[in-house]
Amino acid sequence: MAECGGVAGADGPEGGAMIGAMGGMSAPVPGNEAARLAALRGLDILDTGPEEAFERLVELALAMFGVPAALVSLVDARRQWFKAVRGLAVTETPREVSFCAHAILDAGVCLVPDARQDVRFAGNPLVVDGPRIQFYAGAPLRTADGHVVGTLCLIDFKPRPEFGAVQSGLLTRLAAVAADELELRAQKRELKRLAEVARAAQREADEAAALKAAFAETMSHEIRTPLTGIIGMSEMLDSSGLRPDQAHYAATLKAASAHLLEIVNDVLDYSKLEAGALETEAQPCDLTNIVEEAVAVMAASAEEAGLALGAVFEAGVPRLVALDAVRLRQVLLNLIGNGVKFTNFGGVSVRVRRVGEVSAGRAEIGFEVRDTGIGIPEADQPRLFQRFTQLSARNARKAGGTGLGLAICHQLVRLLGGEIVVSSAPGKGSVFSFSLPVPLQPGAEAVCAAPLPLRGRRVLVAEPNGVAGALLAAQAMALGADALAVDDSSLVGASLGAARARGQPYDALLIAGEFAAQLELDGGLELGGQPFGPGLRVVRTRARGGAHKSEALRLPAGEAALLGALGAPREVRPPEKVSPSASLMPATGRLRILLAEDNEINQVVARAMLGSLGHELAVVQNGVEAISAVATGQYDLVLMDMMMPDIDGLTATRAIRKLRGREAGIYIIAVTANADARHRAQCLQAGMNDFLTKPLTRRALDEALARYAEARRVPGRAAPLAAVALPEGW
């Protein structure tokens, strides 16, 4: 317990007390007044409304100490202002007459047992006149940085000489609670301010993302439109009976345009990822198809580089799943492509495995792309997935590209629910791996549990490329066989003979064409003059023509091809694909096709491609003309551009679906530069039947027309875009 600070005889505002203009003795100004006032302003509490926490504190003070008045008082430069008050009919008083101006000078409780007997307060108007204060006790409200900004104080209208150390201790603790409330309030305000700043920043980020997405969408359309002309016309040139030199020029143009498209796709995909505009769309699919198609796309590049390439599915991997096949294929193509680019000898392999057990209709599927290439120093690996990163300028010039591929893979794998990692060392190749959680289609677990088709078979693989041999042997083993690979032709006969001598002869020999030629192998009956009996099934790989009795297996071999070559066809196959338009023409005859497209280059390309297939094409410039043309009933199907003047493709399709008669059900194929799930969903909602992405290729157009033929053959398949539905609860 302490008497109030500021004793009589001080001589100035900074030095001590002085006589106030209204009587009594005013308190001196604290030495740290500027900092104290700054701390008070920082609380942003002056002149604010009542708050429950402080109201409860003054009510508690009244109950604890039995006084008629209590308040939370804050002292600024000219007044004391009451944040909470009970027992007084005022909300503030001038600072020069305030008791609290004295209390903020003390470290402890400022106690005035009888104001009439205290020289500093005897003439104070608050004592002499109303409300006639006689007792005052004020405990300082101290901020976290030590500044006293006010008090929690008790007032009575009669003296209280009995107020002692125990009561002062309780008041001090109650004041500490009030100070904590001040700090908590300030923290809440700061959090609220920061939250508003964050919301504003998020709004700005969303606006920026929307602008980026709109820019990416516009650029996608504007860039792909001329690319359609370049790629389409180079394809038409390539098939027009050119002289050898002209064919070389056309092939160069086609390769350059394909490379340009790859760069454009990388840049557009990354800008969509940054803008948050790239979405994934899970659909039922067969993992076998996805992986083997990615391998097939890269097969020519691998063969040109003299590299082995293949995919191995470990036993027990569910094949029938639901995921975004387009995005998974994109990741695999990028990783395989990088492996081919940066591998000088050996090869690239893709392995698919199940991680853990199948549970509640879901599984974790692991993917691994391994190469025998140049490898990556450990210090460089953290930068691999950063945008525009190419670790070696020399390799970048050799391989080309944007440096965005792995950054895109990294984000796509995250969108699919996984995380991509790399393991590598210089000269030892690289392994990129990730795993994805996927729901299974009905029946997928039963397919996994089916007996392995090559169980009990023994297969010898003879390949000069050790990676190719190891891949074939691994594929055979994953299908249940006991397999061995050799990479020297001199070991073929020895391995076959040794196995026969042990009473465990090989059932099949997969042998490279060049090895077979060296050993004068003939139908599996003799090898270098040594008979091995009719039980040995001999399959040549990489056969390049020439008559021979053995079957030929083209590498890289898919599972179905390998099983067929070994005489064990797959029992479970994916749904048969509709054959391309080579088989379409007899089924449909000459089609009357309406193209709604405002770009002249795209019109020329479509006319050339469809004309070469024997179809009749009519062209309109916008959606209005498309609606009128369809209403005439002259056309079999429509190729509908999405972005056209006057009325766009979506609006035109909705209007067509409202026509009367059979014209309302005409087959409509969207043609757009925007290939993401959002635009596909918009096409579905508008009532379109199929979806083609620019730049158009003759193969893509062939396949779309084949789907149209199948829809005509099986009417139930003509439903708009649709309609592979996921099982309930997916």
Side-chain angles (χ1 to χ4, degrees):
M1 181 175 65
E3 299 293 333
C4 287
V7 294
D11 58 357
E14 294 289 329
M18 65 179 186
I19 303 300
M22 301 177 68
M25 189 175 293
S26 62
V29 175
N32 65 342
E33 179 70 356
R36 190 193 71 81
L37 291 175
L40 177 60
R41 288 192 297 271
L43 295 174
D44 196 20
I45 193 172
L46 294 174
D47 300 307
T48 59
E51 294 180 35
E52 184 179 358
F54 297 104
E55 299 296 320
R56 285 201 307 265
L57 279 171
V58 293
E59 289 173 357
L60 181 60
L62 293 179
M64 287 178 63
F65 298 101
V67 293
L71 48 95
V72 173
S73 171
L74 300 170
V75 181
D76 69 8
R78 61 180 182 82
R79 60 177 177 160
Q80 67 170 353
W81 174 80
F82 307 146
K83 175 61 181 172
V85 58
R86 291 288 187 277
L88 293 178
V90 294
T91 57
E92 63 180 62
T93 63
R95 178 169 175 171
E96 60 262 30
V97 300
S98 72
F99 283 68
C100 292
H102 294 267
I104 63 173
L105 301 172
D106 289 318
V109 173
C110 173
L111 183 61
V112 182
D114 187 347
R116 295 172 303 174
Q117 304 302 318
D118 192 308
V119 65
R120 293 163 300 171
F121 302 109
N124 190 304
L126 300 177
V127 175
V128 177
D129 302 320
R132 296 185 180 277
I133 296 172
Q134 295 190 35
F135 167 79
Y136 173 89
L141 303 180
R142 196 178 305 276
T143 65
D145 52 5
H147 296 295
V148 178
V149 294
T151 67
L152 173 64
C153 57
L154 309 174
I155 290 174
D156 204 342
F157 309 115
K158 62 182 181 181
R160 293 183 71 109
E162 75 281 5
F163 197 95
V166 172
Q167 291 89 341
S168 292
L170 291 173
L171 182 61
T172 298
R173 286 194 280 275
L174 197 59
V177 174
D180 289 343
E181 284 293 339
L182 288 175
E183 290 293 332
L184 182 60
R185 182 184 183 280
Q187 291 168 9
K188 287 179 178 178
R189 283 188 59 263
E190 179 63 11
L191 287 174
K192 184 177 179 181
R193 184 189 69 80
L194 292 175
E196 182 53 42
V197 169
R199 282 192 292 270
Q202 186 61 52
R203 286 193 296 270
E204 291 181 7
D206 290 343
E207 291 171 3
L211 288 173
K212 284 184 179 180
F215 176 77
E217 186 171 316
T218 302
M219 285 298 97
S220 178
H221 184 269
E222 295 302 319
I223 294 173
R224 287 175 185 271
T225 295
L227 274 176
T228 294
I230 297 170
I231 293 175
M233 297 314 293
S234 65
E235 282 192 353
M236 298 309 300
L237 278 174
D238 199 31
S239 60
S240 62
L242 301 174
R243 298 193 313 265
D245 59 330
Q246 294 171 328
H248 174 70
Y249 300 151
T252 302
L253 175 62
K254 187 176 178 181
S257 59
H259 182 58
L260 176 59
L261 179 61
E262 181 184 340
I263 292 173
V264 167
N265 286 340
D266 277 355
V267 173
L268 292 176
D269 277 349
Y270 195 81
S271 56
K272 287 180 180 179
L273 282 165
E274 280 205 320
L278 199 64
E279 302 170 351
T280 60
E281 182 182 21
Q283 291 288 344
C285 55
D286 188 333
L287 278 181
T288 310
N289 291 345
I290 298 170
V291 175
E292 290 188 354
E293 284 172 11
V295 169
V297 168
M298 298 306 304
S301 299
E303 184 175 356
E304 185 178 348
L307 301 174
L309 177 62
V312 178
F313 284 83
E314 294 184 4
V317 174
R319 310 299 179 89
L320 303 177
V321 300
L323 52 69
D324 192 323
V326 172
R327 296 307 174 191
L328 175 58
R329 189 181 296 111
Q330 184 177 356
V331 171
L332 292 174
L333 282 171
N334 198 296
L335 296 178
I336 296 169
N338 279 351
V340 171
K341 285 179 184 179
F342 297 107
T343 300
N344 298 320
F345 58 87
V348 181
S349 66
V350 182
R351 286 182 174 266
V352 185
R353 71 187 192 283
R354 189 184 72 212
V355 181
E357 297 301 319
V358 174
S359 176
R362 300 184 66 86
E364 185 96 1
I365 309 295
F367 300 85
E368 174 187 290
V369 179
R370 180 185 297 268
D371 65 61
T372 57
I374 58 177
I376 306 161
E378 185 176 357
D380 290 335
Q381 292 174 22
R383 297 192 292 121
L384 270 180
F385 301 109
Q386 297 175 8
R387 60 182 180 174
F388 309 119
T389 295
Q390 291 179 315
L391 301 182
S392 163
R394 178 183 176 187
N395 288 328
R397 288 191 298 271
K398 175 184 174 183
T402 59
L404 288 172
L406 287 177
I408 291 171
C409 287
H410 184 250
Q411 295 204 42
L412 285 179
V413 169
R414 281 191 168 180
L415 279 176
L416 294 170
E419 194 74 31
I420 191 168
V421 296
V422 63
S423 174
S424 184
K428 295 185 178 180
S430 302
V431 181
F432 289 85
S433 56
F434 59 93
S435 62
L436 303 177
V438 296
L440 307 182
Q441 296 182 48
E445 295 181 55
V447 174
C448 292
L452 297 175
L454 294 182
R455 186 176 298 281
R457 303 280 189 95
R458 303 191 73 244
V459 179
L460 179 65
V461 180
E463 280 287 336
N465 183 320
V467 175
L471 272 169
L472 276 174
Q475 284 180 289
M477 287 189 288
L479 293 167
D482 181 6
L484 173 69
V486 296
D487 59 4
D488 189 326
S489 61
S490 66
L491 298 174
V492 176
S495 299
L496 290 172
R500 189 172 181 81
R502 291 195 304 270
Q504 297 177 323
Y506 284 103
D507 301 290
L509 170 63
L510 301 177
I511 185 166
E514 53 265 49
F515 278 4
Q518 292 171 17
L519 299 170
E520 300 176 354
L521 181 142
D522 183 15
L525 300 179
E526 290 188 357
L527 184 61
Q530 175 68 41
F532 291 98
L536 180 66
R537 186 183 187 93
V538 178
V539 180
R540 295 196 188 205
T541 62
R542 296 182 180 173
R544 295 297 182 187
H548 51 77
K549 298 178 182 178
S550 57
E551 300 181 38
L553 179 65
R554 179 74 172 174
L555 301 184
E559 278 188 347
L562 179 60
L563 287 169
L566 295 175
R570 289 181 65 180
E571 295 180 7
V572 180
R573 293 180 177 270
E576 290 293 328
K577 290 187 176 180
V578 179
S579 57
S581 61
S583 62
L584 167 65
M585 291 301 295
T588 64
R590 183 181 178 87
L591 294 174
R592 294 167 300 169
I593 300 173
L594 178 67
L595 172 67
E597 170 63 70
D598 63 310
N599 184 274
E600 186 176 351
I601 294 174
N602 291 341
Q603 295 172 7
V604 171
V605 171
R607 193 181 297 277
M609 288 183 175
L610 291 168
S612 71
L613 296 172
H615 300 300
E616 178 184 342
L617 183 70
V619 178
V620 294
Q621 302 286 334
N622 56 54
V624 175
E625 294 177 4
I627 297 166
S628 299
V630 169
T632 67
Q634 299 177 20
Y635 301 101
D636 298 302
L637 64 90
V638 181
L639 297 175
M640 183 76 76
D641 186 32
M642 295 277 281
M643 297 179 68
M644 294 183 291
D646 298 330
I647 291 181
D648 62 27
L650 295 173
T651 306
T653 298
R654 294 188 190 100
I656 289 169
R657 295 303 183 215
K658 293 178 181 178
L659 294 174
R660 295 181 178 178
R662 68 181 187 86
E663 288 78 18
I666 192 170
Y667 196 90
I668 301 176
I669 302 174
V671 181
T672 176
N674 301 308
D676 57 30
R678 181 169 60 90
H679 287 91
R680 188 178 290 271
Q682 289 174 347
C683 292
L684 170 62
Q685 292 166 1
M688 294 181 175
N689 302 87
D690 205 347
F691 190 94
L692 282 176
T693 304
K694 296 177 183 177
L696 283 181
T697 64
R698 190 160 58 172
R699 178 181 176 182
L701 198 54
D702 280 357
E703 292 173 348
L705 295 178
R707 291 190 291 272
Y708 162 75
E710 181 69 6
R712 269 186 46 169
R713 188 179 69 81
V714 185
R717 295 190 185 177
L721 255 182
V724 184
L726 290 175
E728 184 178 356
W730 284 21

